[in-house]
Amino acid sequence: MSVLKYLLQKEFRQIFRDPSILKIIFIMPALQLIIIPLAADYEVRNINLSIADHDHSVYTQQMIQKIKSSGYFKLVNYSSTFQEAFTSIESDKADIVLEIPANFEQNIVREDHASLFIAVNAVNGMKANLGASYLQNIILNYNNQIRTKWIQFPPIPPQTNIKVSVSNWFNPMMSYKYFMVPAVLATLLTLLGTFLTALNIVREKEIGTIEQINVTPVKKYHFILGKLIPFWILGLAVLTIGFLIMRFGYQIHPVGNMLIVYLFASLYLLVILGLGLLISTYADTQQQAMLISFFLLMIFIMLGGLFTSIDSMPDWVQKLTWLNPVSYFIEVIRMVVLKGSGLSDIKNHIFVIIGFAIFLNSWAVWNYKKTT
Amino acid sequence: MVKSNSNNMSAVIVNNISKKYKVEKSQVTALNTVSFEVLKGELFGIVGPDGSGKTSLFRVLTTLLLADSGNASIEGFDIVKDYKIIRKKLGYMPGRFSLYHDLTVEENLSFFATIFNTSIAENYDLIKDIYQQIEPFKNRRAGKLSGGMKQKLALCCALIHKPSVLILDEPTTGVDAVSRKEFWEMLQRLKAQGITILVSTPYMDEASMCDRVALMQNGQILAIDKPDQINLQFSKPLWAVKAASMYNLLKTFKKWEAVESCYSFGEYYHVVMKSDLNGSDVIKSYLLQQQFLDIEVHQITANIEDSFMALMNKSHD
C-alpha cells in the first residue's frame, strides 16, 4: 500500500504544480456553468413578425395589438402586399408573415368566418415551429374573445368550451435554469473526468515514464489506482463547486438530498474515469486520445438528454441511450434536484452505473497490458 | 525459477532471442536468433548502427517486450516467468529521457527510490559521485536540466535501488564530448562496485572502453569479443589514402576491381585490397596513372570501426 501512497503523492504534486491544469479543472467548469445555462434557453422570444394587411380594419388593429402585447413577437414590417412582407423573410428580417386578406372584418361579422394565412421561415426549425403555434394560439384566443362579445343572450351554450389549466409540477415557473443547470453540471463533470484521465495516462506514454515505471516492481493495479483516485477526488471537488454555484448563483434549492447525488456521482465518476482509462489504453499520443474522447463524448452528450429530450427521440435512438452513462447521470441529478427523488427511486440507475463501471474498467485493465 | 545450466558466473544469458515486428504488411526482423552471455561484473557493450536492434534487445531483457522465440535470464531468473524478481534486480535507463519533467531532480529521485521501497539515504554511497554533480540543481525541474545533467539524473534513478544488473540504452547519444567521457568514467566506477553493466552505443570509439563488445547489425550479432581481440580478427592490411580530389578518389576506388572496400574515415579513406600483394606502391602507381595529385598512402592498424565495417561487408556478401 505504501507504493500507492507514493504514487498518489507524485500525482497530486504534478497536478498542483501545473497552474494551467488547476485553472482548467476548477475555473473553466465554473465559468461554463455560469454561462451555458444562460444561453441554453429553449424559450423562443423576439420572433420577428411581418404583417401583410389587406384589410386595415378595426378588427385587424385589435388583433395586431394583441399579438404585439404577447411579448413573443416583434413587428418588423407592416405592409399592404404579401410580396412586400415576404421580401422581409427572404432578407432574413422576419421569421413569420401573417397575411390578413381584404374584407377580413366584413367576413367575420357577416359570414362568421374568415381565413388568415401564416408563412413561416423554416430554416430555424424550432423557432418556426414554436412561433407558428404561439401565433395560432393568440389568434384563437382573439377569436374566442370576439365570440364571447357577440353572444349577448346565451339561451343555450352555443358551443361546449373545454377550459384547460396547466400546472407545472416540480418546476412551477417552468424555468429552464432549474432544468439546465444540473444537467450542464453533469456534462461538465463527464468531460473533465474523461479528458483528464485519458490525457494524463497517454502523456506518461508519450514521455516514456510509463516504461520507466513498468521496469519497477510497481503493480498494474497500483498504477491504475494511482491515476484514478486523484481524478476521482478532483471530480467530487468540481461537483461541490458546481453545487455551490447552483445554490448561490442560480438560487436553485435542491428538493432532494444532495448526499444521494454525491453517492451517485462517486459511482458515476468510476464509469467516466474508466472510460478515460480505456481510451488511454488505445491511444498512443495525446492527440489521438483527445480526438477519441471528443467524438465519444460528443455522442454521449448529444444523446444524453441535455439539450434534446430523450423522450422525443426516435424509438431506436431511445434504446441506444440506454448504453449512454451520461443520460443516467443527467436523469438522476434532475430527479433529485427538481423532484426530490430518493434512493429507492434511482436504485435502477445505480445498478446500471455499477454495471458500466465494472464493464469499462475491466475492459480497460484487460487492454492495459503491462508487457512481461 | 529456471536456473541457468551454464556457469554461475554469467549475469545475463541470452539464448536465441528472435523478435519480428509487423510494419504495415511486411515483417521486419528486429532480432534474429541473438545469443550471448554477460559475465558478472562485466562492462559489456553492444555496438551497432541505428536500427540494428539494440533497443529491441534491451526492451526484451527489461521485460517490457516479449520475444517471439528464445529465452533469456538475468541473474539466473527467467525474463518471462520471473519478471517480478527481475524488475527488482534491474536498473534500466532508456535511450530517451523518461523521467517526470514537472518534478524536481530530488522529487524524481526520491519517487523512484520509494517505489522500490528504499530511500535516497540508504543507497546514497552508490550514487554519491554522480548525484553530487547535480545536487546544486536538486530543486530544479528535471525538464529544465541540460542534456548531460539529465543523463546523470537518469543514471541516479536507475541506480537508486542498488540493482545488480544495469542496462543502459545509448546513454551518451546527444551528449557533449566531455560529458561522454565523464559518463564512461562513472560506468567504470560502477563496474568496480561489482555491478554488471550492459550498455549500447552507436559510437565505435566508446566500444574500446568496454570489457567485451558485441557488434550488432540487422538484428544479428556479428562478433563478440574483447575490443582488441576483435581488431585482431581484421586479417588484411589496411591503407589510409588521401589525395587532392577526394570525391574523384572515392569514385575511382569504387570502380577499381582490386579494391575490396573503401570508406571515408576522417580526412582519409580507409581502403582494403582484395589481395595482400597489392601494397602501397601498387595503390600509389595506380592513382598516379589516374592523374591524382598530392597522393598519400600509408598502412594503419585496424580500429574497432574498421573491424565493424569489415564484418558488415562480410555479412552483406
Side-chain angles (χ1 to χ4, degrees), chain A residues 52-215:
Chain A
D53 190 354
H54 302 287
D55 194 41
H56 301 288
S57 61
V58 178
Y59 271 33
T60 61
Q61 284 313 315
Q62 279 176 354
M63 189 168 74
I64 291 166
Q65 269 317 314
K66 206 165 162 56
I67 293 170
K68 273 163 75 181
S69 62
S70 71
Y72 291 106
F73 294 94
K74 218 164 75 187
L75 190 61
V76 288
N77 175 288
Y78 183 79
S79 47
S80 13
T81 64
F82 182 76
Q83 210 49 49
E84 205 179 314
F86 195 72
T87 47
S88 62
I89 277 199
E90 285 175 327
S91 59
D92 212 26
K93 286 195 190 95
D95 302 307
I96 293 181
V97 173
L98 173 67
E99 191 185 20
I100 305 166
N103 307 327
F104 173 72
E105 189 184 55
Q106 219 174 353
N107 284 344
I108 290 186
V109 176
R110 287 199 189 147
E111 295 167 30
D112 289 345
H113 177 84
S115 348
L116 287 168
F117 177 69
I118 297 175
V120 183
N121 178 5
V123 172
N124 182 341
M126 189 147 102
K127 204 171 182 183
N129 224 337
L130 284 173
S133 67
Y134 287 166
L135 194 57
Q136 273 177 29
N137 249 322
I138 295 167
I139 294 168
L140 215 69
N141 221 319
Y142 176 66
N143 189 12
N144 284 335
Q145 217 180 343
I146 305 172
R147 284 166 53 151
T148 40
K149 225 180 345 184
W150 287 357
I151 304 161
Q152 275 142 354
F153 314 104
I156 34 161
Q159 208 171 35
T160 356
N161 250 328
I162 299 175
K163 200 163 163 27
V164 182
S165 24
V166 180
S167 156
N168 299 312
W169 274 87
F170 310 123
N171 186 359
M173 305 303 288
M174 268 292 266
S175 163
Y176 280 98
K177 278 166 200 141
Y178 278 61
F179 184 67
M180 289 305 291
V181 174
V184 169
L185 179 56
T187 313
L188 286 174
L189 197 65
T190 311
L191 285 171
L192 207 65
T194 315
F195 274 110
L196 280 181
T197 320
L199 292 183
N200 185 293
I201 299 175
V202 174
R203 196 169 69 139
E204 295 232 9
K205 264 192 193 176
E206 269 187 353
I207 302 178
T209 43
I210 203 164
E211 295 230 309
Q212 195 77 65
I213 297 271
N214 278 352
V215 292

Side-chain angles (χ1 to χ4, degrees), chain A residues 17-64:
Chain A
R17 180 149 302 169
D18 191 340
S20 60
I21 283 278
L22 271 188
K23 274 181 212 147
I24 291 168
I25 293 176
F26 290 109
I27 298 176
M28 294 293 281
L31 279 180
Q32 295 197 354
L33 191 58
I34 291 168
I35 293 165
I36 294 175
L38 295 179
D41 190 336
Y42 293 151
E43 262 186 289
V44 176
R45 282 178 185 276
N46 300 328
I47 303 163
N48 295 319
L49 181 69
S50 174
I51 293 178
D53 190 354
H54 302 287
D55 194 41
H56 301 288
S57 61
V58 178
Y59 271 33
T60 61
Q61 284 313 315
Q62 279 176 354
M63 189 168 74
I64 291 166

Side-chain angles (χ1 to χ4, degrees), chain A residues 2-3 6-7 10 13-14 17 203-209 211-219 223 370-372, chain B residues 59 62-66 83 87-88 92 94 96-104 107 111-112 114-117 141:
Chain A
S2 64
V3 170
Y6 294 121
L7 284 171
K10 179 217 93 186
R13 220 176 236 163
Q14 285 183 299
R17 180 149 302 169
R203 196 169 69 139
E204 295 232 9
K205 264 192 193 176
E206 269 187 353
I207 302 178
T209 43
E211 295 230 309
Q212 195 77 65
I213 297 271
N214 278 352
V215 292
T216 68
V218 170
K219 289 189 183 70
F223 182 78
K370 193 172 170 181
T371 328
T372 52
Chain B
R59 285 171 55 86
T62 49
T63 74
L64 290 170
L65 190 69
L66 278 174
Y83 73 94
R87 284 177 182 175
K88 285 191 187 119
Y92 174 50
R96 205 158 50 112
F97 181 68
S98 306
L99 300 175
Y100 292 99
H101 293 240
D102 43 359
L103 294 182
T104 65
E107 282 166 348
F111 173 68
F112 282 100
T114 49
I115 58 176
F116 277 104
N117 255 322
R141 292 189 191 179

